Amino acid sequence: MSAPPTSTEVSRSEMVVDIACVGFGPAMGGFLTTLSREIMNPEGTPQLESIVSPGLPLQVMCYERADALGFGVSGAVTRARGIRQSFPGLDAAAIPMAARVKSEKLVYLLDPIGASNRSVALRLADKLIRTFSWTLPVRHHALELPYIPWFMQKHDGLILGLGQFNQWVGEQLMGSGTVQIWPGTPVAAPLVENETVVGVRLADQGTDLQGNPDAGFLPGMDVHAALTVIGDGPVGVVGRQLDQEFGLPDGHNQREYALGMKMVIELSEESGLEAGTVFHTIGFPEPEIFGFLYVHPDRLASVGIFIPSWFKSPVRTGYRYLQHFLLHPYLWRHLQGGTLKSWGAKSLQESGRHGEPFLAGNGYARIGEGSGSTNVLAGSGVDEAWTTGVQLAEAVIELLEQRRPFTRENLQEMYVRRRRESLIGEEARIAGDSRNGFASGVVTGMLGMALAGFTKGRFSLSRDFQPLPKATSELEERYCDRIPRHELREIAQQCAEAGISAHDCIMDRCGWPRIPLDGKLLISHQDALLMGGGVQAPAGYANHIVFLHPELCHKCNPKLCVEMCSGQALTRGDDEVPAFDREKCVFCGACLWNCRQSVDGEHGNIEFRAGAGGLHSTLN
Amino acid sequence: MRNGYHIVVCGSIVPDPLQTLEPIETPGGPALKNEMMLPAVLDPWASHALYEAANLASKVAGSKVWLVSVAPKAKLQQVMMTVAQKVSFELVAVDGPASGFGDAYGVAAILADEVQSIAGLDRSRLLVFGGWESASRGAGVTMQLVGERLGIADQFQGVDQITTQADGSFEVLERIEGGRHQVSMCSGPPALLGWATGNLPEPRNNPQVGMANMRTVMPALQRAKAAALAGSGLRFLSTTPPKQQRQTRIVKNRPVEEIAQEIVEWIGK
């Protein structure tokens, strides 16, 4: 058996179930919703009988790290095809914060400040747009594009607050009494024997920050299962350990991520935005940063940005960019007077099929975003994740009915084949190479998307994404045309000595104005942690951020993990190894793919382990 | 106690303390804005009572713990998914509001009725536990009213510790002014204890405990009756949220005396 990174030399309690599930997001919602409907007969007898407890219904356990279902942050607009198939006649009003998409705009945001780092081509384009603003739909420093490509459209889809949606799904699942979902229960590792996943090990409790037994030590239980379903997302602990154990399929790699950072804002009565309104934005605060605004019912709006891993700049802290995004005149006219209700961030796996792991093996199957289900052409992940869960459930039901074991071959035949032959499988194929061009910049990337989208994947640009530790430019390389090299070195040195990240100083120097804090919506980063939901870090768990080779951190400057940390949980440590404050960690996982130090050239120096706590907000 | 105690804990849910609350007026009276969308936890005061009850039950063989809770069923279910992993108990659920605007008298009546209707409950072994205060119902009278309706004369409020004797009697430490405790001896059940914070840490999440509890939690939620609290005649002339002034600074490794001094100075400004 492979050794999970927990205190193994202790006696552990064990439990045997039929199916153990890791993570509760949209994919697991789809899996459990579909499976739970087939577990019991209408007269109350088991339809799917447990193998480990004969006579009883199938025993299904799902473990979720967050302190309650739906905690964390995500707002989504989705076509909701799979979700609607699972809930025929679905009334959006039944789900808090859900609204049908009524209007959708794709907007190119011009730079009203002049601080954005735009290429010569973009500057020329901006000038042309402004010159012809009398005939183009340009207003409030933005060009409303007249057309949204078919592959990006979400017409008639749903705007969801994913936290509320997950709670709604979880409520129905638990109400059915057929499956059990346990929040506040991080899973430390898969249990692997002879290349077969035989279950999972839960995280130890009652440890010190290094994971050593401490007061009230409770070793994590070993949960054995015939099938382990992994839906723990793009930076999930179990999924990534399986990737290490079994590797990725030939030619696959995970070199594209993005950080999504979002606020849920209560709009003022004068905002003028109707529920169901969707804006997709490009162009500002940096050309590489995409943005969105979705309007929920009750004057709530989700507003956020995506910072991609191919954004070369080492100055990439999301929070300040998000604030400048809010302040763009095109958006601020709607947002002014609003109040922050929730804030958060998460990593998105944007490699699509290129990052797809082995979807099934002996005793396990992968679903959702961590399985590469996101349609990177459509920019759509929720419904695709849900559908992969449904597809696995359908496969599992058939295998159980046929009394066939959960072997690699059987799961390949029943689940992977089903997924490949489905609509989302076909769309994933079309989307597969659509983002290749972004390795060469945003304009090339957009052209590449158009090429792949309009030819339905027949043509695309070539792919040349660097391993993530090499994906970012050096500070001087990026800013030498705007700030003299000696001054850049001085700024970096001064920030290093002060123990702060360099992003604010660099942005100030580049002409970004200071944020006019108003105490309601424009607030400090730390206040966003407190007012946007609050972060909990229960005692008795080991730190989940570990620097594998601390000596590598000594030579790292600027430290990308510190620059990118969504909650300022990572700061420059006294000994050059970043200090980790778990009381600020929102589990976005950005540090994992924002480390420039590497031993193997492909992966960074940071390990993201099982941890408890995180954001306490479901208003998202 | 030869046969063990029957410990009934009364406790409901409150919005997660990390949330910012906003009272609003509704046709049914005052309420919290988006209450059903806010994350919830078991009232911290009631949590202490529940952990103390479980601890006592584990020490005295034959004891059993019930949790009687008035709360919106859907939110209660969410909270139980966490609480049920911590200690063993049997849930008695009542579907009703938990916004903190319910009348303490009405809440106490419902709780007392539910306690009395618990099948197999032995009054001669009965200890009623609850929070001395509540994170939402700050009147601090609900448990006292529950005790009165149950006809329990031995009541203790602000309890930090109970030490039981073999004959069923017990010693109780109640908080009094000056940071001291009043020590009382009680000859035995029935008695009511409104807990302060107790001395126990929050128990670890144990999936096996959760699985055992869920066998009764889900059926209890399914048969939860609706509580007639809203619109029961109580009328609020006005509600005023406490004035909030937030000034945030995160400080570590600083002596508590200095922090306390700064807070005192800040309040005095």
Side-chain angles (χ1 to χ4, degrees):
Chain A
M1 181 187 297
S2 65
T6 55
S7 310
T8 50
E9 303 304 317
V10 294
S11 172
R12 295 178 184 278
S13 54
E14 297 189 349
M15 184 166 68
V16 183
V17 300
D18 293 297
I19 299 177
C21 307
V22 185
F24 185 79
M28 202 60 76
F31 175 73
L32 294 175
T33 296
T34 308
L35 182 65
S36 66
R37 291 171 177 170
E38 304 296 327
I39 290 179
M40 299 297 290
N41 289 311
E43 66 270 21
T45 56
Q47 182 178 333
L48 296 177
E49 190 174 320
S50 170
I51 296 165
V52 298
S53 304
L56 292 177
L58 198 71
Q59 301 291 294
V60 184
M61 296 289 150
C62 179
Y63 300 106
E64 162 59 36
R65 169 198 61 77
D67 289 344
L69 300 187
F71 274 10
V73 73
S74 195
V77 59
T78 171
R79 283 173 283 187
R81 296 170 305 187
I83 292 170
R84 283 181 166 131
Q85 276 189 357
S86 294
F87 302 103
L90 176 68
D91 177 9
I95 308 170
M97 291 182 73
R100 281 183 65 169
V101 176
K102 288 182 182 168
S103 70
E104 190 179 15
K105 285 180 183 171
L106 178 58
V107 184
Y108 177 71
L109 300 178
L110 297 161
D111 177 6
I113 299 168
S116 179
N117 197 352
R118 297 170 115 75
S119 64
V120 175
L122 271 182
R123 285 182 195 281
L124 184 62
D126 290 0
K127 197 165 185 178
L128 285 171
I129 291 169
R130 289 188 192 279
T131 303
F132 291 97
S133 60
W134 55 274
T135 187
L136 292 171
V138 177
R139 53 196 182 118
H140 308 290
H141 298 274
L143 171 66
E144 293 180 350
L145 300 177
Y147 168 72
I148 302 176
W150 65 268
F151 45 86
M152 291 179 70
Q153 291 172 7
K154 306 291 191 303
H155 296 345
D156 204 36
L158 287 178
I159 294 170
L160 294 174
L162 217 47
Q164 292 296 320
F165 176 70
N166 283 347
Q167 286 212 336
W168 179 77
V169 173
E171 185 183 307
Q172 297 183 56
L173 285 169
M174 292 298 289
S176 76
T178 53
V179 298
Q180 292 192 20
I181 311 169
W182 295 111
T185 310
V187 175
L191 299 172
V192 184
E193 291 177 0
N194 302 322
E195 298 198 343
T196 299
V197 175
V198 297
V200 293
R201 173 168 295 172
L202 305 184
D204 293 345
Q205 298 175 72
T207 72
D208 62 17
L209 295 179
Q210 284 69 47
N212 304 308
D214 205 347
F217 180 60
L218 181 64
M221 180 190 289
D222 283 349
V223 182
H224 293 270
L227 176 66
T228 300
V229 179
I230 298 101
D232 58 356
V235 293
V237 172
V238 177
R240 283 186 298 100
Q241 287 184 60
L242 289 180
D243 292 344
Q244 287 175 11
E245 182 85 22
F246 300 124
L248 294 176
D250 285 345
H252 285 210
N253 54 53
Q254 295 168 349
R255 295 178 177 177
E256 296 150 270
Y257 284 89
L259 178 79
M261 185 177 282
K262 187 192 82 167
M263 291 177 173
V264 175
I265 298 168
E266 184 175 59
L267 302 169
S268 72
E269 292 187 4
E270 296 77 35
S271 78
L273 290 172
E274 277 189 57
T277 301
V278 172
F279 295 161
H280 311 281
T281 75
I282 51 176
F284 185 84
E286 299 285 7
E288 297 91 342
I289 296 176
F290 301 159
F292 63 89
L293 184 151
Y294 312 141
V295 186
H296 305 275
D298 302 323
R299 281 196 288 114
L300 291 173
S302 292
V303 187
I305 56 173
F306 299 108
I307 300 177
S309 53
W310 47 266
F311 177 38
K312 304 278 187 196
S313 174
V315 175
R316 48 172 55 199
T317 299
Y319 189 73
R320 184 158 175 189
Y321 274 133
L322 176 57
Q323 290 182 310
H324 285 297
F325 179 67
L326 300 179
L327 284 165
H328 189 282
Y330 186 82
L331 301 171
W332 189 243
R333 64 197 167 116
H334 297 299
L335 302 178
Q336 191 167 21
T339 305
L340 176 79
K341 304 303 286 186
S342 176
W343 164 88
K346 85 175 278 287
S347 286
L348 295 97
Q349 220 278 39
E350 299 215 312
S351 299
R353 278 199 65 177
H354 286 287
E356 191 181 275
F358 291 108
L359 295 180
N362 290 325
Y364 78 93
R366 311 274 299 262
I367 56 176
E369 190 179 353
S371 75
S373 64
T374 299
N375 184 323
V376 294
L377 176 61
S380 176
V382 172
D383 199 50
E384 287 75 6
W386 177 276
T387 304
T388 61
V390 171
Q391 290 166 343
L392 176 62
E394 290 169 348
V396 166
I397 291 164
E398 284 189 39
L399 288 171
L400 287 167
E401 287 173 342
Q402 297 168 13
R403 298 187 177 280
R404 295 167 64 188
F406 298 116
T407 61
R408 182 199 318 267
E409 292 73 23
N410 288 343
L411 287 164
Q412 284 278 350
E413 177 194 338
M414 304 300 276
Y415 164 53
V416 180
R417 181 183 53 78
R418 190 183 302 257
R419 180 165 161 172
R420 296 274 185 257
E421 293 175 356
S422 68
L423 182 60
I424 66 156
E426 171 62 10
E427 289 177 344
R429 186 196 61 74
I430 293 171
D433 287 316
S434 63
R435 292 211 177 199
N436 289 358
F438 285 114
S440 305
V442 65
V443 175
T444 314
M446 300 295 279
L447 291 172
M449 278 184 76
L451 180 65
F454 288 114
T455 63
K456 300 212 166 184
R458 280 190 286 277
F459 298 101
S460 58
L461 301 181
S462 60
R463 185 176 178 80
D464 185 26
F465 283 103
Q466 295 293 306
L468 287 164
K470 297 177 184 168
T472 318
S473 305
E474 292 298 324
L475 194 60
E476 293 179 21
E477 181 188 342
R478 176 78 180 182
Y479 285 98
C480 63
D481 61 337
R482 309 185 75 185
I483 308 173
R485 286 178 187 274
H486 73 276
E487 193 179 339
L488 268 173
R489 279 195 292 272
E490 278 175 24
I491 290 172
Q493 184 64 28
Q494 285 168 1
C495 290
E497 287 171 4
I500 58 174
S501 68
H503 73 277
D504 262 341
C505 299
I506 300 281
M507 288 183 75
D508 289 348
R509 180 62 182 77
C510 286
W512 291 97
R514 303 298 294 179
I515 302 296
L517 302 181
D518 63 11
K520 285 176 63 186
L521 179 55
L522 301 174
I523 57 178
S524 73
H525 199 160
Q526 287 304 298
D527 271 352
L529 257 74
L530 291 159
M531 296 165 70
V535 180
Q536 278 280 40
Y541 289 91
N543 272 346
H544 52 276
I545 301 293
V546 177
F547 296 90
L548 295 171
H549 303 281
E551 67 278 8
L552 291 179
C553 301
H554 292 186
K555 62 180 181 183
C556 187
N557 191 32
K559 299 182 191 304
L560 271 199
C561 59
V562 173
E563 301 291 332
M564 191 67 172
C565 182
S566 298
Q568 296 181 322
L570 288 170
T571 50
R572 302 184 72 100
D574 294 337
D575 61 352
E576 285 295 332
V577 179
F580 175 54
D581 185 347
R582 54 196 280 177
E583 291 171 34
K584 298 180 187 175
C585 180
V586 299
F587 284 82
C588 74
C591 51
L592 192 67
W593 50 273
N594 278 280
C595 175
R596 296 199 290 190
Q597 305 303 318
S598 176
V599 172
D600 65 0
E602 183 71 31
H603 303 95
N605 187 35
I606 293 176
E607 189 160 288
F608 197 75
R609 295 180 178 169
L615 269 172
H616 272 217
S617 177
T618 50
L619 198 67
N620 52 58
Chain B
M1 191 73 185
R2 194 187 312 163
N3 297 320
Y5 296 105
H6 280 179
I7 311 170
V8 180
V9 182
C10 300
S12 184
I13 63 174
V14 293
D16 185 306
L18 298 175
Q19 309 303 308
T20 302
L21 306 181
E22 188 178 343
I24 54 168
E25 289 295 332
T26 71
L32 293 176
K33 188 168 187 179
N34 296 327
E35 184 189 355
M36 291 300 287
M37 288 159 69
L38 295 171
V41 296
L42 190 65
D43 190 324
W45 301 83
S47 298
H48 294 304
L50 180 63
Y51 305 153
E52 292 285 349
N55 182 52
L56 178 57
S58 69
K59 289 178 178 171
V60 183
S63 297
K64 185 174 178 182
V65 178
W66 288 264
L67 174 64
V68 182
S69 195
V70 182
K73 195 161 63 169
K75 295 303 286 183
L76 187 59
Q77 178 183 297
Q78 291 168 12
V79 172
M80 284 302 114
M81 290 155 71
T82 303
V83 174
Q85 296 187 67
K86 296 186 177 299
V87 295
S88 297
F89 60 86
E90 190 170 309
L91 179 69
V92 178
V94 182
D95 190 11
S99 65
F101 295 107
D103 172 28
Y105 181 85
V107 174
I110 292 168
L111 289 170
D113 287 349
E114 291 299 323
V115 174
Q116 285 177 315
S117 66
I118 293 174
L121 193 70
D122 183 349
R123 185 179 170 85
S124 69
R125 300 157 66 189
L126 176 62
L127 296 177
V128 179
F129 282 16
W132 172 38
E133 283 274 3
S134 163
S136 69
R137 299 182 188 88
V141 298
T142 307
M143 289 309 298
Q144 182 182 335
L145 291 168
V146 169
E148 288 173 7
R149 293 187 75 95
L150 292 172
I152 297 174
D154 290 328
Q155 293 203 19
F156 306 90
Q157 299 294 342
V159 175
D160 266 339
Q161 186 173 304
I162 180 171
T163 309
T164 57
Q165 310 296 326
D167 63 356
S169 65
F170 51 85
E171 180 191 84
V172 178
L173 299 190
E174 284 175 283
R175 286 188 186 181
I176 55 174
E177 288 182 7
R180 293 178 299 169
H181 283 116
Q182 173 173 288
V183 183
S184 304
M185 280 299 298
C186 183
S187 57
L192 182 141
L193 283 76
W195 283 87
T197 57
N199 298 303
L200 299 174
E202 184 172 327
R204 306 287 178 205
N205 289 350
N206 187 327
Q208 284 176 320
V209 171
M211 284 183 69
N213 277 342
M214 273 299 153
R215 294 191 192 114
T216 61
V217 166
M218 293 314 299
L221 286 164
Q222 282 162 359
R223 63 173 176 264
K225 292 180 293 191
L229 260 180
S232 58
L234 183 70
R235 193 163 62 90
F236 287 81
L237 295 176
S238 67
T239 54
T240 307
K243 287 180 183 172
Q244 288 187 21
Q245 187 181 346
R246 186 188 290 271
Q247 190 176 328
T248 308
R249 201 168 84 249
I250 294 177
V251 176
K252 295 205 162 185
N253 304 322
R254 191 170 171 192
V256 289
E257 293 81 5
E258 284 183 25
I259 295 172
Q261 180 61 33
E262 187 177 331
I263 292 172
V264 168
E265 289 170 5
W266 183 79
I267 291 170
K269 284 180 185 173

